[in-house]
Structures are given as C-alpha cells and as structure tokens.
Amino acid sequence: MILKQLKQNGAEVSALTGIIVILLATSLFLPQTSRLIEHPENGTYLFKILYDNFCNEQNRISAQIISLTLSVLEAFLIIIMNLKQELTRAKGTFFLFVFFIVNLSFIPHNTLLPEQVANIFIILGITKILSSHGVDKAMFECFDMGFYFALAALFCEEAIFMLIIGFIALMVYRPYIFNEYAVYIIGFITPVFFYLSIYYITEGSLQPIIENYKALLVNNKDYSLSYIYFYYAAISFIMIVAASIFILGEYPKYNLLSSRTYKMFFILFLLAVTLSICPYFSFQAIRLASMPLTMLYVTVFYNFNNRRTTFSEIIFSIFFIAYISIHVLCYVI
C-alpha cells in the first residue's frame, strides 16, 4: 500500500521518503561507487573549467556533494513549478520520492554532470513560459525564458537545442506575436554575448571555446555500453510506455494549460532521448529528461482511479522495484 500512503502525505510518508532518499544518496559516497561513475562528457568549455578547478581527481568528493545539492535544488524547483501552475495536486513528498528514485537509481550518472546544471535553468525557463499562459503581453517572460535557456547552453553542449524548444513553447502557449519571438532571441543572445565578451577581454582569444565545439563535431562519443545500460533503457522504456498509455486515458480531463504542458514535457523527453543516442553526445544526455519524467510519473500515479486500488498499487510497486533493482544491479554486474 505504498502508493496509498504517499497520496495521504502523512508523517510516516515523509519518514519513508527521507529514508529512501538518504539510502540512495549515501551510495554517491561509497568506495564502490568511484569505479562505476562516469566522467562528465557533454560539458562546455565553461563547465570543464569549473569542473577541473573544483571537482578534480584529487577532490572527487566535491563533485558528489555538488551533484547531490543540485539534485535537491532541481527537485524543489519542480515542486515549486507544480505549485504555481497546479498541474497536479500531488504533494511535495510524492515528487521527492519519485524524483530521487528515478534520478539516483543509475549509479554511473550519480556524479556532477553538465546536464544537472542545465536542468536548473531549463526548469526556470519552462516556469517562465508557463506563467505567460493567458497573459496578453508576455515580453518579460519570453526574455527570461531565452535568458535561462542560454545559461543552460553555456554549461551543457546539447542544451543549445533548447533554443528550438523555446520556439516550440511559444507556439504551444502563445498566439503568434512577432515581438515576443524577437525578445526571446534577444534573451537567448544576451548571456552568450556577455560570456564571450568577458572571456575575450580577460583571455584575449576565443580559440579554446571554438576548439571545444570543433572537437564536438569531429569526435564521436564511444558507445560501448555495458549490460546495465541496456537494462536501464529497457526498464525505462517499458515504464514510460505504460505511463504514456495511462496519461492518454486521462488526457481529455485536463484543462488547456495542463494538456499543453504535458505536450511540452513529452517534447522535452523526446529531445533528451534523441540527444542521448546522437553520436555527437553521450548517453548522459538522458539526464535532461529528469523533469519531464518526474512530472509524467507523478501525474500518472497520483491520478490513478481510486476504484482500481489493487491495480495501481501493483503498477507502482513494479515501478519502485524496477528502479531500485537498477541501483542494486549496478554494483553486481
């Protein structure tokens, strides 16, 4: 009866969520984890500079601490976004439970990744465009969305595609207003311009940044993945397909904002999957799907029909066992 308890949001649920999160988070600092985690592969030149200075091989524990801090921040930003837009009535503990089960189960990605930094800004950008729904003039929201998406791209190579996602978001949430598109582009260009200007003034050349992107285009990533990757992909695929079927069944009941938002979440998820199998990026790009996956799972599980209690408990138990088994098998295989 885990699902029923989670929906009730009692003190025992908070305790259970806390215990599970602590157990999963503890794995980041175990000696066995150091041989399983991966070096971040999709970072920009800016991310690599920061990583090399604060998370080098001699001080790897700092990477784990920063990673966990960013995960907590990411989870709370998702909760705040949901509270502001009322996409689902699920409580914060429900989000925390699902988020950490999904994102800390795969040991190789339990370290500081550029996708984690990008996710913070992506959630902020999505929150801005959501707040523009139903507003006559949304110039500031459009500028802020572009600004946040650009900050994501400054740390994570594949986050550059958020420029396209921003245009899709404007088409989904807003009537066509040329000025809003123009302001969005200006918002995206602004932090990139300031970053390049400051770097050029201090270093006298943009060559290292240029070389970093040249390497991205000519040096394909190694895709010799172990069995645990295929198990993780298979489990995720099965659960996502099942969740998508359930959410489609409830789709007619959603209001206009919710229906549009879940379209956006699905687009974001497809983007992350596409980038993770793209030869120019590594499988770590799948970490960009953490927010849409969390929202998808929470919505499905929380909105299960109460008359199908046994069935919903079985499905949720399968979800829980499947992702926890990924965590355990990472140490076994």
Side-chain angles (χ1 to χ4, degrees):
M1 302 296 283
I2 300 176
L3 182 58
K4 183 179 178 181
Q5 293 298 321
L6 278 174
K7 288 183 178 181
Q8 293 176 350
N9 195 40
E12 66 279 5
V13 173
S14 299
L16 174 64
T17 302
I19 291 171
I20 291 175
V21 171
I22 290 172
L23 289 175
L24 290 173
T26 301
S27 67
L28 275 72
F29 305 97
L30 296 176
Q32 300 94 318
T33 305
S34 59
R35 64 180 176 83
L36 298 173
I37 60 174
E38 300 175 346
H39 186 81
E41 297 184 50
N42 298 328
T44 61
Y45 185 72
L46 175 60
F47 176 85
K48 290 174 182 177
I49 290 176
L50 296 175
Y51 187 89
D52 291 341
N53 279 279
F54 297 100
C55 309
N56 52 50
E57 291 296 324
Q58 290 73 33
N59 193 24
R60 177 170 285 182
I61 192 69
S62 62
Q64 308 303 83
I65 294 173
I66 296 173
S67 174
L68 185 58
T69 303
L70 289 176
S71 292
V72 173
L73 178 59
E74 188 178 350
F76 278 104
L77 285 176
I78 294 173
I79 293 171
I80 292 170
M81 178 183 68
N82 180 71
L83 287 174
K84 286 183 176 181
Q85 305 303 326
E86 297 182 348
L87 301 173
T88 174
R89 295 182 179 180
K91 303 300 182 182
T93 49
F94 205 128
F95 278 93
L96 292 174
F97 188 94
V98 172
F99 177 87
F100 284 105
I101 287 289
V102 172
N103 288 284
L104 293 183
S105 62
F106 193 55
I107 298 297
H109 291 177
N110 282 359
T111 187
L112 178 60
L113 299 177
E115 288 78 10
Q116 285 185 282
V117 183
N119 279 342
I120 300 299
F121 297 115
I122 289 172
I123 296 170
L124 291 172
I126 293 294
T127 302
K128 283 295 180 180
I129 194 63
L130 286 176
S131 65
S132 74
H133 182 76
V135 177
D136 292 333
K137 295 181 180 180
M139 306 291 279
F140 290 108
E141 289 83 356
C142 293
F143 179 89
D144 290 343
M145 178 177 66
F147 190 88
Y148 285 128
F149 285 172
L151 289 177
L154 287 179
F155 290 94
C156 183
E157 290 173 340
E158 66 268 29
I160 188 66
F161 289 95
M162 291 306 300
L163 176 62
I164 300 173
I165 294 296
F167 286 118
I168 296 174
L170 288 172
M171 290 187 285
V172 170
Y173 291 104
R174 305 289 304 160
Y176 176 74
I177 302 174
F178 175 79
N179 289 347
E180 292 184 355
Y181 284 78
V183 167
Y184 167 67
I185 295 173
I186 294 172
F188 196 93
I189 293 174
T190 299
V192 176
F193 174 78
F194 276 101
Y195 166 64
L196 294 178
S197 299
I198 294 171
Y199 187 89
Y200 184 80
I201 292 171
T202 56
E203 300 295 331
S205 172
L206 297 177
Q207 195 61 30
I209 298 175
I210 296 172
E211 292 298 326
N212 186 75
Y213 281 100
K214 282 184 178 179
L216 171 66
L217 296 175
V218 300
N219 185 24
N220 293 352
K221 298 293 192 296
D222 180 18
Y223 257 77
S224 56
L225 303 179
S226 65
Y227 289 112
I228 190 61
Y229 284 87
F230 294 103
Y231 180 77
Y232 174 74
I235 289 295
S236 298
F237 176 78
I238 294 171
M239 294 303 305
I240 290 162
V241 169
S244 299
I245 293 172
F246 291 129
I247 208 169
L248 284 174
E250 298 292 321
Y251 195 77
K253 301 177 184 178
Y254 297 145
N255 59 35
L256 184 59
L257 175 61
S258 295
S259 61
R260 288 177 174 178
T261 301
Y262 284 107
K263 287 180 184 177
M264 277 302 305
F265 290 158
F266 189 68
I267 292 170
L268 280 172
F269 170 72
L270 289 181
L271 173 68
V273 172
T274 302
L275 293 174
S276 68
I277 60 177
C278 175
Y280 299 106
F281 304 107
S282 77
F283 189 73
Q284 293 174 3
I286 198 66
R287 187 65 175 75
L288 289 175
S290 62
M291 185 269 285
L293 274 181
T294 300
M295 291 301 304
L296 175 66
Y297 284 139
V298 168
T299 302
V300 169
F301 292 135
Y302 190 81
N303 291 339
F304 261 134
N305 195 316
N306 291 329
R307 290 174 296 180
R308 304 167 65 185
T309 303
T310 303
F311 176 75
S312 60
E313 288 287 349
I314 292 173
I315 296 297
F316 187 78
S317 298
I318 293 173
F319 160 82
F320 179 77
I321 293 170
Y323 276 100
I324 291 298
S325 67
I326 294 172
H327 189 88
V328 175
L329 286 174
C330 285
Y331 292 105
V332 176
I333 295 180

